């Protein structure tokens, strides 16, 4: 085994061929995977490892390690071959690729593998995430680490990439380098731009980047480009590297029909011979300077905002976020150019150095949140709840990344009123419930909202708070507590004939309905299901046992929201299903006052009263 | 009332001021809305109406009418003022803006208003949709209509816009013009690029468009730019119009803090005075030539593909799509560069003129589908089910658009195997169920898949088919039928002690479990819930009544999928409430063989058998 601290020029070809050979070996052993997409970028990664990457593989937790993101996550064989070449994994582990229980999954995932920061495999996500990492290095931790993103050419069609290009230039992220592995061939043929490197470079330049066109198999050109990237100030660098898919092996080089296919054992043997045989060169990456981040986590006392009079939950979110910012230096906020609606601007005005405007680019916003989270920041990202649908793929992938990020969606439901259905989130609870390991919160008053924001700061995984446009009355005492997985029984008697389960805006309708039913001599229980996921099974089960019928009222489509969350509770060992009646939005809303639209949707107090009377 | 067939030059200023005055009047009457974002574009729309738009307002159904899409849907006051100026609506109706029951919603919606093609209001969607309309005009209907998209500058941050710019240039859509209303101010301050029109123009040029920079308040420059746009061949045209938000009224012109705010009655009176007072000029747009589309809908016999041996549902989708293409000329297919995985390439190879490669740009793909649907095409769009999450906002808005589009998501669930969680759709059923008016299909064999594809062709609204990567055994006879809202009871006896409800891949596990349970002397019913939405309530209710316990097995997170769909059935008046046990994916999967991953997720036959035994 040869070991080189910094590889001399003659080591590079050997290193690159080893990366190719290992990409073939592990995919052939797996019987699937992406050898050719790995081989195109082998020279680019070899030069990076040998001369530019500053990374301590023994201490992946070092804050000043460079970050390397494989946006083209399907080139994971190359990534794993690179880990072997860096001395981080054994040849034996390399050959476990894609096998059940192996750390080397089909696409890279973090935590399982300590050198991976974020999961990739859904294309077009590496650069928006890299922007988050670079924002952290430049503006928060103030560390000289660099962010390197290996990018595919097919994924340049994804809009999220251009959101990232615009954002990176806006923030002058000169610590960010995008290496475009322009191998011409996508999954089913040529990409839209083929080998037209000039067009890629012109687009990158128009977006404010320093762009360089090179031959991605020429070590001198690669070296010069990386040198330019690390020397450049005031601008991120975009390297368009012309490469061949499957480079180095005549059977597959620049051939269509070889995307995502492993070579057979015989083909692999031939290919490995052509590449110079199996080797186990280890090239130690340079170590970074051991610098401490400028922002150390801190935990001062959280001064929870207090409320007495009607107040919107969205504004309480803003107040609480600001209070959290005062207590903890690692809290960071992002917004999609609606900070004066979500009220994240309260944080932004107080802590402008920790607030990043993402403009109307929700995918970039979530990508940046994931990147910042990977750098140990407690990130909140907010926009209209409806527009988080724009970033669903990023949210889904954030869960695969095991990232902890906190989302707030304002202006949810028909109760926003006049703006109409394009602005009404009516699927957000469903969308967020179906995210692995998520927490879904829907407070009905400012007190509970403010408490839950501080709770979110310490939650693992993806947490989501739905807030309401309108002011709502204060229900709770400022001293109350709102644990995750809990609920509040607001009205209860031994004579309860049914239970109203609601959250957010509809809770207030339920309370009005309670009064009307009470006047009519009908007792009902009222539960505030402020935590939609995980839902309070015990309290719901007791209500079912004691009152028989549950009426769930939600400002949401009938599918996947609070009603389904309540039903879900009865699929565990809580006996048979109770009778559940769901009041939800079942026709397409238009414009109108909030009350008109709640009435039209059949989720206002009036309808709750009618439903309860009919049911009893 | 003055009427002008084609307005002479002196009419333009009056027309533009009227559009401004009416934008103020209707928003002040509503007490909310976006007058200033309307006023910036008034001159641009005045010239369009007076000199360029070819549109018969009495016959909005004419195939050769120009299309006008307000991508900045919040400028609806201007759109409605334009309708009044075109003689399409009365002044009285204009003043009904945003009121409950008015056709003039906060953001424009089609059907309700016959001149609106598609709903806007979620920014960055107008151009991808316009691409679909332009593809239709150029390649399918072969009509000379033009597509005009009025675009905001804040929304240029949305990646979907750049997907559209790339796609429009790739297809050389010279019938498409984007008019950028660069008014500098977003919702909460200046946009990322402010009035930097050169950067917008350079970006558009780099993306292959003809770009023109103009003063958006100079009629001569606007006129010249439109003339250039309609004369240009081989390239779409991007007009960067420098404008002032609130132009014409000193109180609000180019002032921050006036986004989305109506003027008070007094402010409005002053403003209207400054603009020259109220008027009711009517300017008739030119009528288009009455040409017929090259592609008339046709309905030949559908030759449903037939299957005997194990076959994947994704490949059956491709076969059926091709068969549908043979039967009906209006069937069009789009794919996100994975046509050789979804098998939409079978259609593409047979009907290349009706297949549009969208590359890896899922938002553009759904946008184009909506645009094509608005031009009466029967559109299917396909990609990996996981990546449809990328376009959730577009799918949501397609429902607001009352569009009929057909989506197919392949490679769903852990059963895809080695590629790992980034490629596994585990939230798609939830996502698609929570789309207003959607139909969600999940066939388990090629026969049912092929039948359901032809059914989708005639469905209204958003329909979705989930397909499976692996080959699955054939269960059905080729002559069977699969109505929407139906299910199939595959195993049934009077001794059934429980019911297994499954669909797609898990149905085959359920059938294996049935055999094992039967051997152990336990009879269970097996239901194929191939239609997840609307679900077959009657059959589930009967099963609940007759067998007591339902075990639902799904290759999906526990939230929002088949299990929740089954539970939803029991929120109506269906009598006996069952005990429901959900087997679903409850931990983050990794890589492995399909069978290993089904086992690890606890949704394979083995687990079904164990669960059934424990339950009984």
């Amino acid at each position: 085994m040869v070991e080189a601290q910094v590889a001399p020029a003659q080591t590079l070809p050997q290193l690159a061929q080893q990366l190719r050979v290992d990409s073939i070996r592990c995919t052939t052993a797996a019987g699937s995977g992406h050898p050719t997409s790995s081989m195109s970028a082998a020279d680019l990664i070899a030069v990076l490892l040998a001369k530019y990457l500053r990374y301590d593989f023994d201490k992946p937790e070092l804050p000043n390690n460079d970050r390397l993101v494989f946006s083209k996550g399907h080139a994971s064989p190359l990534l794993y071959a690179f880990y072997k070449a860096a001395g981080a994994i054994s040849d034996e582990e390399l050959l476990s690729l894609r096998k059940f229980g192996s750390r080397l999954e089909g696409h890279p995932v973090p935590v399982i593998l300590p050198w991976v920061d974020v999961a990739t495999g859904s294309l077009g996500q590496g650069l928006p995430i890299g922007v988050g990492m670079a924002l952290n290095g430049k503006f928060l931790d103030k560390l000289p680490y660099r962010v390197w993103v290996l990018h595919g050419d097919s994924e340049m069609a994804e809009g999220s990439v251009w959101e990232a290009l615009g954002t990176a230039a806006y923030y002058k992220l000169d610590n960010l380098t995008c290496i475009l592995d322009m191998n011409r061939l996508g999954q089913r043929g040529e990409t839209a731009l083929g080998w037209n490197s000039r067009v890629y470079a012109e687009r990158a330049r128009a977006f404010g980047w320093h762009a360089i066109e090179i031959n991605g198999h020429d070590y001198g050109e690669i070296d010069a480009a990386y040198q330019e990237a690390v020397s450049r100030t005031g601008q991120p660098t975009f390297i368009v590297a012309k490469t061949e898919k499957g480079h180095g092996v005549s059977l597959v080089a620049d051939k269509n029909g070889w995307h995502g296919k492993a070579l057979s054992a015989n083909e692999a043997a031939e290919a490995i011979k052509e590449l110079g045989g199996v080797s186990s060169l280890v090239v130690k990456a340079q170590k970074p300077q051991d610098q401490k981040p400028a922002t150390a986590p801190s935990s001062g006392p959280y001064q929870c905002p207090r409320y007495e009079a009607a107040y919107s939950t969205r504004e309480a979110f803003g107040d609480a976020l600001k209070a959290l910012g005062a207590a903890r230096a690692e809290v960071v906020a992002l917004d999609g150019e609606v900070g004066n609606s979500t009220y994240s601007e309260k944080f932004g005005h107080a802590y402008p150095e920790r607030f990043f405007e993402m403009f109307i680019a929700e995918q970039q916003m979530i990508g940046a949140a994931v990147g910042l989270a990977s750098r140990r920041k407690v990130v909140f990202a907010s926009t209209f709840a409806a527009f988080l649908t724009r970033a669903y793929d990023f949210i889904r992938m954030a869960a695969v990344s095991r990232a902890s990020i906190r989302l707030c969606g304002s202006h949810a439901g028909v109760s926003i009123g006049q703006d109409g259905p394009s602005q009404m989130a009516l699927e957000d609870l469903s969308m967020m419930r179906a995210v692995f390991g998520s927490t879904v919160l829907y407070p009905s008053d400012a007190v509970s909202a403010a408490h839950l924001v501080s709770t979110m700061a310490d939650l693992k995984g993806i947490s989501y708070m739905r807030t309401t446009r309108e002011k709502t009355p204060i229900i709770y005492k400022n001293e109350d507590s709102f644990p995750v997985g809990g609920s509040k029984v607001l009205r209860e008697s031994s004579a309860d004939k049914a239970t109203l389960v609601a959250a957010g805006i509809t809770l207030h309708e339920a309370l009005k309905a309670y009064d009307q039913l009470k006047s009519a001599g009908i007792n009902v229980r009222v539960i505030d299901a402020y935590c939609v996921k995980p839902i309070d099974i015990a309290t719901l089960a007791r209500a079912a046992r004691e009152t028989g019928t549950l009426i769930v009222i939600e400002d949401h489509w009938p599918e996947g929201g609070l009603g389904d969350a309540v039903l879900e509770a009865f699929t565990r060992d809580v006996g048979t299903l109770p009778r559940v009646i769901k009041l939800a939005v079942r026709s397409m809303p238009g414009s109108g006052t909030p009350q008109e639209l709640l009435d039209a949707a059949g989720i206002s107090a009036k309808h709750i009263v009618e439903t309860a009377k009919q049911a009893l």
Side-chain angles (χ1 to χ4, degrees), chain A residues 381-396:
Chain A
S382 48
T383 183
F384 279 34
F387 304 138
L388 285 172
T389 54
R390 204 63 162 256
Y392 196 22
D393 195 26
F394 278 73
I395 298 169
R396 171 184 84 84

Side-chain angles (χ1 to χ4, degrees), chain A residues 405-416:
Chain A
I405 59 172
R406 294 139 201 96
L407 310 179
C408 177
S410 70
H411 292 72
V414 302
S415 73
I416 65 163

Side-chain angles (χ1 to χ4, degrees), chain A residues 447-470:
Chain A
V447 170
S448 50
H451 280 279
L452 288 167
V453 169
S454 75
T455 301
M456 287 169 85
D458 294 311
L459 288 179
K460 298 278 180 212
I462 317 297
S463 54
Y464 172 62
M465 176 177 286
R466 181 189 227 211
T467 64
T468 299
R469 178 173 180 265
E470 300 291 289

Side-chain angles (χ1 to χ4, degrees), chain A residues 11 17 32 44 47 97 107 127 155 277 323 356 361 404 423 448 508 587 599:
Chain A
T11 312
Q17 294 302 66
S32 69
L44 297 163
V47 177
L97 173 71
H107 295 77
L127 211 45
E155 61 178 320
F356 298 100
S404 293
Q423 319 293 301
S448 50
H508 300 281
S587 60
D599 281 337

Side-chain angles (χ1 to χ4, degrees), chain A residues 564-601:
Chain A
D564 279 7
V566 168
L567 287 163
E568 156 83 1
F570 294 95
T571 60
R572 329 253 171 121
D573 284 332
V574 290
T576 51
L577 281 175
R579 184 170 173 216
V580 175
I581 300 170
K582 281 162 79 166
L583 297 185
V585 182
R586 294 183 190 269
S587 60
M588 181 61 76
S591 291
T593 65
Q595 196 58 52
E596 283 169 340
L597 295 178
L598 290 169
D599 281 337

Side-chain angles (χ1 to χ4, degrees), chain A residues 120-169:
Chain A
T120 49
S122 177
L123 293 169
Q125 300 209 5
L127 211 45
I129 291 170
V131 165
M133 296 170 168
L135 284 170
N136 179 69
K138 190 176 173 85
F139 297 107
L140 301 172
D141 284 355
K142 299 193 170 80
L143 288 171
Y145 69 75
R146 294 200 65 78
V147 181
W148 306 89
V149 177
L150 180 69
H151 213 274
D153 51 353
S154 267
E155 61 178 320
M156 292 299 290
E158 283 287 7
S160 54
V161 173
W162 301 97
E163 296 181 7
L165 262 80
T167 307

Side-chain angles (χ1 to χ4, degrees), chain A residues 34 36 62 65 76 211 254 314-315 330 355 372 411 439 573 596 601:
Chain A
H34 295 262
T36 57
L62 277 189
N65 275 331
S76 59
D254 193 36
R314 63 179 167 127
E315 191 160 0
E330 71 274 30
F355 179 84
L372 286 159
H411 292 72
T439 304
D573 284 332
E596 283 169 340

